């Protein structure tokens, strides 16, 4: 537990340093005045039961329980033509329950003896420079892009190391670019080279130390409409382009929405994973009325390969969910989803989702058509007042079935609470 004690001391000393520096640096203007600091506690139970197991890993159950702490401190900017600021993130994960036959939930690191670590931690910083409406960031980054989606879906969030630039000098237009050299995975303390996934299969036989990206989003029509164009390159493995359109249209008491996207991916440079050929199209249409929101979606994979992404990220594909991705070679899938916000019934903070997705036409390479389906139930509540105001509770139950990959029954219970320190 020495690393736990060290990490705790580091987080506390960082918070104390921020508080003390407010007395010394108040003259710097916004550096302290605009600073924020939060500490989130996240308690996470995750369980997956596997049946009809496909592949070398015959583990029939993954089940763990862990406690996480996420410390975020963000300074403002110093005065002057070029503003200077610093962000700090501290992460601490603690094992509450696990065993060698139930590891690999993505909550905790797995050691060489097959057991989950008792704890893991990380403290990193980011230097940020701002000129007008343009910002340069160097250090620990958490980009959220169509070609590299931020996937905070386990105990602690992942991150990348590198440099990024964001510019919003033109009204409605946001441009971004960056170079990333390594990644910190969601259940690890250190940095690693980046690997790819093809659909749901990690490609561990090849790795890259460079992910480059560039693109932008343009909002217009009183921000009811936005278009996007992006490019991402996992050097020597694949490169990928993206075009997207989002639109929201009020219509009487209804609000209609559309989210459309197209990806085109090919092999890159040394072709460390061989030839890659994938084109992906998705559409997700919505209709909102009061507390009700209805969705219908279609997603299609084309080309000779499954959808590529950086391990272990999710993607913005319309039919991707945390259990199945519906992004295998040649797959076609449909989604029906219903959300309800109970604030419409006088219960603010309570929300629910039910979703069903079915896919077929998968090229399994085994002489038969692959098919899969998934049903998700989500229920969330944020306490609105009283002693426990701000406490978030989320419950998820998922059932996923396939004739070419492992079946999954999944349950998650997540409790979260955030303290504002500054």
């Amino acid at each position: 537990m020495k690393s736990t004690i060290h990490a705790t001391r580091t987080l506390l000393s960082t918070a104390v340093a921020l508080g003390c520096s407010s007395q010394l640096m108040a003259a710097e203007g916004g550096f302290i005045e605009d600073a924020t600091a939060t500490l989130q506690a996240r308690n996470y139970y995750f369980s997956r039961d596997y049946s009809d197991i496909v592949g070398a890993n015959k583990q029939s159950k993954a089940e763990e329980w862990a406690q996480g702490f996420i410390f975020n401190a963000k300074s403002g900017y110093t005065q002057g033509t070029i503003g200077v600021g610093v962000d700090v993130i501290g992460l601490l994960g603690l094992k509450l329950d696990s065993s060698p036959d139930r590891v690999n939930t993505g909550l905790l690191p797995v050691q060489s003896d097959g057991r989950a670590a008792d704890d893991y931690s990380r403290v990193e910083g980011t230097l940020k420079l701002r000129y007008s409406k343009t910002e340069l960031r160097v250090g620990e980054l958490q980009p959220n892009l169509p070609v590299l989606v931020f996937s905070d879906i386990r105990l602690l969030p992942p991150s990348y190391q590198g440099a990024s630039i964001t510019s919003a000098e033109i009204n409605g237009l946001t441009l971004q670019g960056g170079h990333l050299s390594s990644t910190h995975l969601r259940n690890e303390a250190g940095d690693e080279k980046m690997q790819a996934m093809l659909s749901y299969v990690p490609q561990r036989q090849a790795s890259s130390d460079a992910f480059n990206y560039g693109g932008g989003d343009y909002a217009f029509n009183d921000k009811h409409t936005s278009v996007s164009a992006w490019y991402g390159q996992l050097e020597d493995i694949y490169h990928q382009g993206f075009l997207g359109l989002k639109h929201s249209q009020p219509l009487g008491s209804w609000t209609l929405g559309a989210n459309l996207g197209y990806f085109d991916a090919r092999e890159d440079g040394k072709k460390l994973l061989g030839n890659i050929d994938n084109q992906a199209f998705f559409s997700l249409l919505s209709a909102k009325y009061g507390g009700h929101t209805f969705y219908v979606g279609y997603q299609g994979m084309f080309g000779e390969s499954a959808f590529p992404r950086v391990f272990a990220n999710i993607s913005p594909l319309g039919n991707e969910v945390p259990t199945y991705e519906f992004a295998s070679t040649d797959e076609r899938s449909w989604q029906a989803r219903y959300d309800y916000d109970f604030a419409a019934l006088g219960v603010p903070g309570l929300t629910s989702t039910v979703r069903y997705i079915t896919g077929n036409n998968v090229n399994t390479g085994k002489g038969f058509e692959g098919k899969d389906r998934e049903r998700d139930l989500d229920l969330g509540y944020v306490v609105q007042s009283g002693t426990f105001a701000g406490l978030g509770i989320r419950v998820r139950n998922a059932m996923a079935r396939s004739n070419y990959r492992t079946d999954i029954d999944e349950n998650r219970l997540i409790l979260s609470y955030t303290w504002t320190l500054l």
Side-chain angles (χ1 to χ4, degrees), residues 97-266:
D97 180 65
S98 179
S99 71
D101 59 336
R102 295 186 280 112
V103 294
N104 296 313
T105 64
L107 299 184
L108 299 164
V110 181
Q111 303 175 122
S112 58
D113 62 0
R115 297 180 180 275
D118 290 335
D119 59 85
Y120 62 112
S121 60
R122 180 182 181 87
V123 178
E124 295 292 338
T126 306
L127 172 67
K128 53 188 183 181
L129 305 175
R130 185 180 68 183
Y131 173 76
S132 184
K133 296 181 180 179
T134 298
E135 182 184 61
L136 172 67
R137 300 174 64 87
V138 180
E140 197 83 353
L141 305 174
Q142 294 178 324
N144 189 15
L145 320 164
V147 291
L148 193 69
V149 175
F150 179 59
S151 53
D152 186 12
I153 57 175
R154 289 295 196 276
L155 182 70
L156 300 176
S159 57
Y160 296 87
Q161 296 70 51
S164 70
I165 187 168
T166 302
S167 179
E169 302 292 342
I170 300 175
N171 186 37
L173 177 64
T174 302
L175 300 175
Q176 297 187 60
H179 170 81
L180 310 176
S181 56
S182 59
T183 181
H184 150 245
L185 299 177
R186 62 198 180 197
N187 63 331
E188 297 288 348
D191 301 339
E192 298 185 6
K193 289 188 175 183
M194 290 167 282
Q195 298 174 329
M197 296 178 69
L198 292 177
S199 184
Y200 64 97
V201 183
Q203 305 296 310
R204 303 184 187 279
Q205 67 272 34
S207 60
S208 173
D209 56 7
F211 184 87
N212 304 301
Y213 66 86
D217 306 300
Y218 180 62
F220 58 98
N221 187 24
D222 197 25
K223 297 186 179 181
H224 289 300
T225 308
S226 66
V227 292
S228 303
W230 288 87
Y231 174 83
Q233 175 201 29
L234 185 58
E235 198 169 278
D236 290 325
I237 295 181
Y238 76 85
H239 60 261
Q240 185 179 58
F242 171 78
L243 295 174
L245 169 68
K246 292 182 180 179
H247 180 70
S248 177
Q249 182 63 54
L251 191 64
S253 299
W254 291 79
T255 300
L256 305 182
N259 181 10
L260 310 177
Y262 175 77
F263 288 91
D264 187 4
R266 306 283 177 173

